[in-house]
Structure formats: C-alpha cells, structure tokens
Amino acid sequence: MKVTCLQMDMKFACPQENFKKAEDLVRQAASQGTDVAVLPETWNVGFFPKENLDTLADDNGKNVKQVFSALAKELGINIVAGSVVNRKADGIYNTAFVFNREGECVAEYDKAHLFSPMDEDKFFNKGTANATFELDGHKCGIIICYDVRFPEWTRNMTVKGLDILFMVSQWPLVRVPHLDALTKARAIENQMFVVCCNSAGKAGQTVYGGNSSINDPWGVTIAHAIGSEQEIISADCDTTILDGIRSSINVFADRRPELYKVN
C-alpha cells in the first residue's frame, strides 16, 4: 500500500483557501499513484484561531464530507482527510475524517486528548471513543497529535489488531525530536506501520515542525520530510512483513494484562 503524507502549510483562519489547497495536494498525490493520501491536523483553519472559532468551523463535517467523499470516488484513492475544526450540536471538536476509494466515510474520530498548554481544552470538547477502520482490507486506526503521548490510548486499539496507525498533527518545530521518538516507539511496541502527517508553516508565534514520517514495524523510518516546509512524501507499506515480525517477537501473546492497572 503506497501512502502519501501531504505536509500542508495552511493559511490561518482561512477555510476556503485551505480547502482549495488541500484538494490540490490530494490531486497531486493521486497523480503519483498513491493508495492513501493523508492531510494534517486542523488544516481547514490552522491550530487554532480563538476568535470566531465557531464561525470558522465546519458544520458537522458537512464541507469535508462533500468535498473529500466526491474526490476519493473521482480519483479512486483512500483519503485520510486529516482533522478539521468541527462544530457539532454540543460544541466544537477536533475531528478526523477518513474516506475509502468509493467515497464512503469509514471513520470519524474526535480528538480525545486536548493540548492544555495551548488551551485547546478550553475551546474544544473532548472525544470519548477511538476509531478503527479498514482501507483496502488493511486494519487501520487514527490518532491526533497530542494523543501520541498516551500509549495506553493507542494500545487500546492495537490489541484488536492494527496494520497501520495514522497520526495527523500540528506539532511545533521546537519539539520535533519528541515527534520522531514517539512515532517510532508506537511503531515498535505495537508492531505496525505508523504514518505521521504533520503540518508546516507558522500560526501566530508558533512555528510548526513538518518532519512528517512513515515508520515500519521495526521502527525504521522509510520516508521522512526534509524539514518544516510544505512537502509531499510517500512510501510503500508492505504489510506482508507483519506476520513474520509478530511471530518472531510475539509481544501480544506475551502480554499479561491482568497485571496492568492503569487508571
């Protein structure tokens, strides 16, 4: 499965322009023969405009579904449409959407762990459920940015069996070493591919780090963005290697969940 990360530099608080750019990037990925195109976190408005947030937000994913459902079907590719600032009846959420080749929305995920150092928890509602889905017969899951720092959240999905975990993010340049370490760790400990699509550019005083990566189950980085500018990277995720890795070091069979008391 060829996976492509679209390390997008979005325009702050300008959803119309960002939708156009995101569509153009997805079309570029499709022209290069990708199976899955991946966008970063909150690409519709950036992370995140505190003024007029409600007005700028997508309305229950209406625009994302309209544009990317049709685009996935037209191009015949899967689209992990990053996440968007999303207005629901009970408040604002940071919501990821995933579409298969037929244009079906196969997953919606509301970010569970909100980044309190930047007051995300004061402006957004917390999600309460993880999301797993299938793309081309492969078991997949998705997390958003800060979620990666909570390994128990990822493990809650991977005990059910995952081939690929998608992570979409707005991770700052100053903490890129953490991003690289955490994505590799999630790949190694869960014996799966981890695809991290980070954003590029600047919002206010925060410079976002780029450095998107695709990591195999051994923790080997098989594709990595050059730096923090807008960029497209791709790699072939050969899922046929998973059975061999899992049988040679069978961490899931050797787990002792009766000993783990995580509260």
Side-chain angles (χ1 to χ4, degrees), residues 41-245:
E41 180 185 13
T42 58
W43 57 263
N44 63 331
V45 296
F47 191 83
F48 63 91
K50 296 178 181 180
E51 294 183 6
N52 302 317
L53 186 66
D54 184 75
T55 303
L56 292 166
D58 202 354
D59 183 14
N60 204 28
K62 179 181 178 181
N63 292 329
V64 172
K65 290 176 180 177
Q66 183 176 22
V67 171
F68 289 94
S69 172
L71 194 61
K73 187 173 183 179
E74 175 197 340
L75 299 174
I77 64 170
N78 304 290
I79 302 175
V80 177
S83 76
V84 296
V85 174
N86 184 35
R87 182 177 61 254
K88 298 186 181 184
D90 62 338
I92 304 295
Y93 290 82
N94 185 340
T95 308
F97 295 89
V98 181
F99 303 89
N100 67 15
R101 295 180 190 270
E102 288 73 45
E104 298 169 327
C105 184
V106 295
E108 295 185 27
Y109 166 65
D110 297 323
K111 187 176 182 181
H113 301 93
L114 302 181
F115 193 56
S116 57
M118 291 182 71
D119 292 335
E120 187 180 13
D121 58 320
K122 292 181 172 63
F123 289 84
F124 290 79
N125 290 6
K126 296 175 181 178
T128 58
N130 57 35
T132 59
F133 50 95
E134 285 196 7
L135 295 178
D136 296 350
H138 301 291
K139 296 178 181 179
C140 303
I142 188 164
I143 60 174
I144 302 175
C145 203
Y146 193 41
D147 284 332
V148 77
R149 290 186 181 269
F150 300 87
E152 60 272 36
W153 187 241
T154 300
R155 180 53 62 91
N156 195 36
M157 288 184 280
T158 59
V159 291
K160 303 167 189 175
L162 285 189
D163 297 339
I164 303 174
L165 178 70
F166 295 97
M167 173 186 167
V168 300
S169 58
Q170 289 260 11
W171 200 278
L173 182 63
V174 68
R175 289 192 291 277
V176 161
H178 291 192
L179 179 65
D180 287 338
L182 289 164
T183 50
K184 284 187 177 185
R186 298 296 85 82
I188 295 166
E189 70 197 8
N190 294 292
Q191 299 178 325
M192 63 186 177
F193 290 89
V194 174
V195 177
C196 172
C197 183
N198 196 29
S199 67
K202 188 176 180 180
Q205 299 303 308
T206 304
V207 178
Y208 289 95
N211 284 272
S212 299
S213 64
I214 301 173
N215 303 278
D216 78 7
W218 289 116
V220 175
T221 301
I222 55 177
H224 200 287
I226 295 171
S228 58
E229 301 299 320
Q230 183 166 292
E231 188 177 347
I232 296 176
I233 64 166
S234 297
D236 288 314
C237 296
D238 180 8
T239 56
T240 63
I241 69 173
L242 291 171
D243 286 345
I245 292 169

Side-chain angles (χ1 to χ4, degrees), residues 2 4-6 23-38 75 77 232 234:
K2 182 177 180 180
T4 301
C5 294
L6 305 171
E23 181 178 343
D24 288 345
L25 289 170
V26 170
R27 289 187 180 278
Q28 286 184 52
S31 72
Q32 297 170 11
T34 197
D35 295 302
V36 188
V38 189
L75 299 174
I77 64 170
I232 296 176
S234 297

